[in-house]
Amino acid sequence: MSESGARTVVRALEDEGVAFVFGIPGTHNIELYDALESSESVTPVLVTDEQGASFMADGVSRSSAGVGVVNVVPGAGLTHALSGIAEAYMDGIPLVVLACGIRTDSGRAFQLHDIDQLAVIRPVVKEAIHVRGARELYASVRRAFALARAGTPGPVVVEVPAELYLLRHDFGEPAFAAPPGAPPPDDAAIERAAALLHGARRPLIYAGYGARGASEVLRRLAERLAAPVATTIQGKGVFPESHPLFLWNGLGRMAPPFVREVERTCDAMLAVGCRFGEVGTGSWGFSPPGPLVHVDVNPDVLGRNFPAAVAVPADAGEALAALLRLLAVRERDAALELVIADGHRRTREEQRRPGDGARVSPAALFDELQRVAGRDAIFTADSGNGTFLAMEHLRLEAPGRFLAPVDFSCMGYAVPAAVGATLGNPDRDVVALAGDGALLMTGLELLTAAAYGAGVVAVVLRDEELAQIAQFQRTAFNRAACSHLAAYSVEAFAAAANCAYAAAQTDAELPGALARAFATARAGRPAVVEVAIDYSRKSWFTRGVVATTFWRLPWGERLRLLGRAVARRVTLA
Ligand SMILES: Cc1ncc(C[n+]2csc(CCOP(=O)(O)OP(=O)(O)O)c2C)c(N)n1
Ligand SMILES: [Mg+2]
């Protein structure tokens, strides 16, 4: 049987159950796009910029069991897509990048788009596969999916020289053998971990995104140990946030005081599916409150930032299930649950302290969003102040509902990720929380949403500046350099992208604006809601990072910075 390489690649995508591929065609891969057009199950989505393609593919991966696929031309397409690929790499999100290569059969130099693109992309992918001949095509694409999912997930690139798409070849039977999965956890390590946790007065559980497939066993283990649970930012939702043992998406200085009170009563930590990265820890604003049991599928992260008394290289679900079998039931700790409940109540009261009322308060925005959007809604966040406020205000019951660019922290994520999440979950509400700076980067993908009937609600957090940075600048320098945005009209932007538009200047205007936006979006037309957000009260996260960074400085530097801040307050007042 003979067929074009393009058809072979489409067959591999179909066999993987891929529903969408995101990208922009070029001369090198028009054969592939044409073959995709004939597929009954795979839809090629045309984006406005390949950066949007990689964020959309990421949104598909994070919000569903699937693996998002990027499909780009050599060189220029790949470099545009790099930001989203790097974000997926640092956040552990599976992607398959179909990177077309230049022709290898022309014998010519200086071809169109010709750079050493695999050298450019190698640092941000788990593996770069160059397909040497048509006979390797099918298995290479299938292997890319398997590698993207294995261990800590991440992006895998497959470079397909253009002539392989074009030319026909003898196909034969598709051969593909899946690589073996992770080995089961080591019994001895699990026994040592169980003994350590058993001997602790009160263990603290810290769960990351690596535990997203283990929510149920995590909940049972926390109840078994009567242990309070914090998650990382990316792990938001892996532990149900209405649970009486839920603390916060963070610990230490980045968390409210009650969380630190609870931490002080703990004498061991079970960390699972996390690696203590800078953003998730608020710039390392805490340390484990005693010996650390560290479980992660990637042995390289164990003990990297904090020494592990017991390191368990294993899948989170399997390790937690093994621990559960060994650990005795502890009595429910009513006193602890009271401290936690009271702490959340006081924190909510503080969040709801009225501002001057001239702008929309974050508490009103997130309460109303959760009320209108329903329990299984998906929120995408961006790199910016709004992400941390969203994290601190939203209460989510399951993983895969808070999609945020954390470790690479790339602005421009929220809108395209929401487009991907909406296409992958057409029956769920999807809300993009985009800063007005981030919107300028990738907001045009709302046009893609409109074209494909993806009913995203894009909430634009409008403050006319790059607030997350401006807040740090004002604290340190009493002035903000280069962080005020040029004036632009969000309404005109929405109109240009064929989206509905609503605005809220105050809390009172919110319910009406959101109701209109959700009604439009549920009918398949994206809607932009411009919210004049009140950022006057800093998030716990921002306050925590400022304090942590300051206190880590040597004494002399602290004095110098304080002196400058005071002098600036006098001279610039
Ligand atoms: C691609 C990229 N450029 C710059 C930054 C640095 N940065 C982090 S947050 C931020 C401000 C974001 O501004 P905006 O989107 O308006 O959100 P706000 O903080 O105002 O809510 C900037 C510039 C980044 N994270 N990513
Ligand atoms: Mg802003």
Side-chain angles (χ1 to χ4, degrees):
M1 189 179 83
S2 97
E3 66 180 13
S4 72
R7 175 62 204 140
T8 305
V9 169
V10 173
R11 188 197 297 276
L13 297 175
E14 288 169 346
D15 290 351
E16 282 289 341
V18 170
F20 302 99
V21 301
F22 301 94
I24 300 181
T27 50
H28 294 78
N29 62 2
I30 46 177
E31 281 290 335
L32 177 61
Y33 270 91
D34 196 67
L36 284 165
E37 198 65 22
S38 303
S39 172
E40 288 188 356
S41 55
V42 191
T43 303
V45 173
L46 174 63
V47 300
T48 66
D49 178 319
E50 288 90 346
Q51 179 178 200
S54 46
F55 287 141
M56 283 180 206
D58 170 308
V60 167
S61 295
R62 293 196 208 213
S63 64
S64 70
V67 174
V69 181
V70 181
N71 182 20
V72 290
V73 299
L78 195 78
T79 52
H80 270 199
L82 265 184
S83 298
I85 297 168
E87 187 68 63
Y89 181 71
M90 283 201 76
D91 285 354
I93 309 302
L95 292 187
V96 167
V97 182
L98 290 175
C100 194
I102 56 155
R103 291 191 72 138
T104 57
D105 62 346
S106 70
R108 303 287 190 196
F110 316 122
Q111 292 184 42
L112 169 67
H113 296 323
D114 181 13
I115 58 167
D116 185 353
Q117 61 176 2
L118 291 189
V120 172
I121 201 174
R122 212 167 253 122
V124 294
V125 289
K126 289 177 73 177
E127 185 133 339
I129 301 172
H130 172 77
V131 183
R132 283 163 307 177
R135 286 192 152 270
E136 289 179 7
L137 264 178
Y138 182 86
S140 298
V141 176
R142 294 296 303 273
R143 196 160 70 84
F145 279 87
L147 290 171
R149 287 193 196 97
T152 303
V156 174
V157 64
V158 189
E159 184 183 58
V160 182
E163 73 273 13
L164 295 191
Y165 284 141
L166 182 65
L167 305 176
R168 298 178 70 79
H169 66 110
D170 282 335
F171 181 63
E173 270 308 296
F176 167 69
D186 173 52
D187 288 341
I190 292 289
E191 274 163 29
R192 277 187 292 129
L196 193 154
L197 295 171
H198 182 75
R201 195 178 61 248
R202 179 180 284 161
L204 171 64
I205 296 178
Y206 183 59
Y209 190 67
R212 71 197 166 287
S215 281
E216 178 57 24
V217 61
L218 174 67
R219 186 185 57 73
R220 287 175 57 204
L221 190 78
E223 290 170 0
R224 173 79 50 98
L225 286 168
V229 182
T231 77
T232 61
I233 299 174
Q234 213 191 320
K236 187 170 178 65
V238 300
F239 190 75
E241 299 188 342
S242 61
H243 194 284
L245 290 170
F246 171 67
L247 288 175
W248 201 252
N249 309 124
L251 288 165
R253 288 210 184 91
M254 67 181 279
F258 85 90
V259 175
R260 278 169 273 161
E261 275 167 43
V262 172
E263 277 175 76
R264 280 194 286 272
T265 68
C266 296
D267 57 349
M269 176 182 265
L270 168 62
V272 54
C274 65
R275 49 187 202 180
F276 299 100
E278 175 167 11
V279 184
T281 58
S283 211
W284 304 285
F286 66 88
S287 324
L292 169 67
V293 175
H294 195 172
V295 179
D296 197 277
V297 73
N298 179 0
D300 295 342
V301 311
L302 300 175
R304 243 335 243 290
N305 278 336
F306 296 111
V310 184
V312 186
D315 169 74
E318 286 184 35
L320 294 185
L323 281 173
L324 197 62
R325 284 193 288 274
L326 296 184
L327 286 165
V329 178
R330 292 193 192 202
E331 253 182 66
R332 236 177 123 158
D333 189 337
L336 169 68
E337 291 182 18
L338 204 67
V339 171
I340 295 175
D342 194 51
H344 281 301
R345 188 183 49 73
R346 277 183 288 142
T347 305
R348 289 179 79 80
E349 273 170 19
E350 168 155 354
Q351 287 172 330
R352 277 157 191 73
R353 255 199 353 247
D356 66 7
R359 302 177 72 82
V360 173
S361 68
L365 173 64
F366 292 112
D367 284 355
E368 187 63 16
L369 276 174
Q370 285 216 273
R371 202 182 62 73
V372 189
R375 275 175 64 88
D376 69 348
I378 298 166
F379 295 88
T380 68
D382 222 294
S383 176
N385 200 36
T387 291
F388 301 109
L389 287 169
M391 166 187 101
E392 294 177 1
H393 283 85
L394 294 173
R395 289 291 170 270
L396 305 179
E397 297 303 301
R401 295 178 185 182
F402 186 72
L403 283 44
V406 176
D407 281 329
F408 195 52
S409 230
C410 190
M411 275 172 77
Y413 176 85
V415 166
V419 178
T422 310
L423 290 170
N425 302 270
D427 300 329
R428 292 166 70 180
D429 289 327
V430 180
V431 180
L433 301 159
D436 49 4
L439 188 78
L440 289 172
M441 295 186 176
T442 54
L444 258 190
E445 297 299 356
L446 286 166
L447 182 64
T448 310
Y452 288 84
V456 175
V457 174
V459 172
V460 178
L461 304 162
R462 189 72 165 130
D463 67 332
E464 294 173 34
E465 67 175 8
L466 303 167
Q468 181 67 18
I469 303 307
Q471 288 186 355
F472 288 134
Q473 290 174 316
R474 279 193 209 98
T475 308
F477 312 111
N478 204 31
R479 66 183 180 193
C482 219
S483 48
H484 190 81
L485 295 173
Y488 74 98
S489 159
V490 176
E491 184 170 10
F493 193 99
N498 296 329
C499 293
Y501 170 83
Q505 177 66 43
T506 61
D507 290 1
E509 291 170 8
L510 253 186
L514 288 181
R516 286 197 298 284
F518 275 82
T520 318
R522 284 170 184 158
R525 184 174 180 221
V528 174
V529 189
E530 181 174 9
V531 172
I533 191 82
D534 178 1
Y535 277 158
S536 59
R537 199 167 303 148
K538 291 198 183 73
S539 63
W540 295 106
F541 179 87
T542 298
R543 280 185 260 174
V545 169
V546 168
T548 301
T549 310
F550 180 75
W551 287 110
R552 210 177 13 234
L553 291 169
W555 261 108
E557 291 301 310
R558 263 186 249 164
L559 286 175
R560 183 180 68 81
L561 290 190
L562 266 184
R564 182 176 67 186
V566 171
R568 287 273 174 88
R569 271 183 179 74
V570 176
T571 54
L572 298 177

